[in-house]
Amino acid sequence: MLFDELVIAIMKTINLERTLSAPYHIIKGKKSGQTIQDVGYYKLHPYFGLMPKLEKKVYDQVVKGLISKKYIRFNEDVIDLTEQALTLPLPATSLNGWKYRGNEMIFFNRLSLVIQTLSHTSQSINKFDPIDNSDDIQGWVKRYLKAIHFRDLGSVAKLKAEILDSLQALEVSDGHKNALMQRLSGFGWSGLTWEQIADIQGIHVLDARLAVIETLHAWLEMIEEKRHPLLSRMKENIVELSALTESTRRTEKLFKEGHSLAEIASIRQLKTSTIEDHFVELAMNDPLFDYSAFLSPELYGEITEISKAEQTKRLRNIKDKVPAASYFQIRLALAIKEEVK
C-alpha cells in the first residue's frame, strides 16, 4: 500500500462525514476522544497510530497532491472525494495499527541492534558504534543476547534461520522486504536512509516508511502464529494488550466504584468533556458497558435509527433530527456495541 492509497482508504470510509484533518489524526494515533471514536465508528483500526511522528505539513502536502490529481474536491467543511477516488481499487493490507500503535518499531530497533552486534562479535569485534543509542533498547538487547547465549554459534545460526525462513514466507512484495532489509546495519555495511531507499525504489519517502511498517505488521503476525522462539522473545511488550487508553482505565475504575460523571471529573480534575470522551471509549470497546446512567433505551433507539436511516455518523446531522439528545448522548449511542440494545 502506498501512502496516497492509505489516505484514500481512510477518506473513503469517512467521506462527507469528517474534515480533511481526520485521517492525519488517525495515522498519527492522536489519543483524543474524537479520533478514538472515529476509529471505532468507522472501523479504521488498521490505520491507527501508524506514523506517530508524521508532520502535519507533510500530510497537507499529500492532500494537496490528491486534490491536484482530482481525487478530492475542495470543500472547507468535510472530505469530498471525487468518483475517481471512490472507485479507485485499493490493495489488501497487513496493517494493524490499533494492535501495535507504533511499537513495531521497537521490535525493529531491537532486531537491528541484535543483528549489528552479532555481525561484529562473529568477527571477534566487540567495540562498535551501536545503531541505537537509547538506554531502553541497549539494555533490552544486552539481556536478550545473554539469554540466548549469543556466543554459541548454534544459537546464532538458529536466529538467522528463523529470520530468513519467516521473511521468505511473508506474503508481501519483494520491494517491501527489501526496504526492511535495507534499513539494517552490520559489520561492513550501513543501513540506508529512507531517502536512499525511496530513490532506489522510485517511490516517495512516505511510501518507503509505510512499506516497512506494513512488512513489520505482517512479520509480527507470522511470528505470533508460528513457532519462532528466538524472534518471539523480541515481541516482548510490543502488542497493545488493552484497547483502552490509560486515562480511560482510571475513569472506568472510578465509575465501577459508583462515582458519577461529574464526581469523576472533580476527583480527576479533568474537564467534563474529557470524562465524556472516556465513557464513549468504554462504550466502544466493552459490549457489556451499562449506558443506562446516561441514556435511555428509547433515546438510544431513536439516535441509532436516524443514523442508519440517514446513513450518517455526523453529529450535527443527527442532532438536527433528535434535538432532545445532547452531543454526548449521540456520541455514546453511536459508540455502543451493537450487542447492547
Side-chain angles (χ1 to χ4, degrees), residues 61 131 143:
Q61 198 62 41
I131 192 68
R143 293 190 297 274

Side-chain angles (χ1 to χ4, degrees), residues 144-171:
Y144 175 83
L145 291 173
K146 184 177 180 181
I148 69 168
H149 308 290
F150 75 102
R151 300 287 184 186
D152 182 347
L153 295 180
S155 292
V156 176
K158 287 179 182 177
L159 177 59
K160 181 179 179 181
E162 284 189 18
I163 292 171
L164 294 177
D165 291 346
S166 57
L167 277 178
Q168 287 173 356
L170 280 187
E171 294 183 358

Side-chain angles (χ1 to χ4, degrees), residues 264-279:
I264 294 171
S266 177
I267 291 169
R268 298 202 57 198
Q269 296 186 324
L270 294 173
K271 293 179 180 178
T272 299
S273 60
T274 301
I275 303 302
E276 289 177 350
D277 287 346
H278 294 167
F279 282 114

Side-chain angles (χ1 to χ4, degrees), residues 183-278:
R183 287 291 292 169
L184 298 172
S185 296
F187 177 71
W189 83 89
S190 297
L192 300 183
T193 65
W194 294 115
E195 288 76 14
Q196 288 172 324
I197 294 171
D199 187 55
I200 290 171
Q201 296 202 19
I203 56 178
H204 193 280
V205 171
L206 288 174
D207 297 333
R209 296 176 73 94
L210 187 59
V212 169
I213 293 167
E214 197 167 14
T215 305
L216 286 170
H217 286 189
W219 198 9
L220 286 164
E221 288 299 308
M222 173 175 285
I223 293 169
E224 186 173 306
E225 293 171 5
K226 300 187 177 180
R227 297 178 69 88
H228 298 293
L230 297 178
L231 281 173
S232 291
R233 286 175 180 244
M234 292 192 199
K235 286 178 75 269
E236 182 182 39
N237 298 326
I238 295 299
V239 176
E240 191 69 40
L241 296 177
S242 174
L244 301 176
T245 59
E246 177 61 31
S247 189
T248 296
R249 286 198 292 269
R250 293 176 190 167
T251 291
E252 180 184 35
K253 182 175 182 295
L254 290 169
F255 184 57
K256 287 181 176 179
E257 290 173 358
H259 295 285
S260 68
L261 190 155
E263 288 171 342
I264 294 171
S266 177
I267 291 169
R268 298 202 57 198
Q269 296 186 324
L270 294 173
K271 293 179 180 178
T272 299
S273 60
T274 301
I275 303 302
E276 289 177 350
D277 287 346
H278 294 167

Side-chain angles (χ1 to χ4, degrees), residues 106 109-110 113 130-144 236:
I106 296 176
N109 292 339
R110 291 170 178 173
L113 187 53
I131 192 68
D132 194 302
N133 291 313
S134 71
D135 293 337
D136 287 346
I137 296 296
Q138 289 193 9
W140 190 94
V141 167
K142 286 177 182 177
R143 293 190 297 274
Y144 175 83
E236 182 182 39

Side-chain angles (χ1 to χ4, degrees), residues 14 21 73-74 96 108 214-215 221 242 262 268 291 325 331:
I14 57 177
S21 295
R73 299 184 188 92
F74 178 74
N96 198 340
F108 180 75
E214 197 167 14
T215 305
E221 288 299 308
S242 174
R268 298 202 57 198
Y291 62 86
R331 290 166 56 214

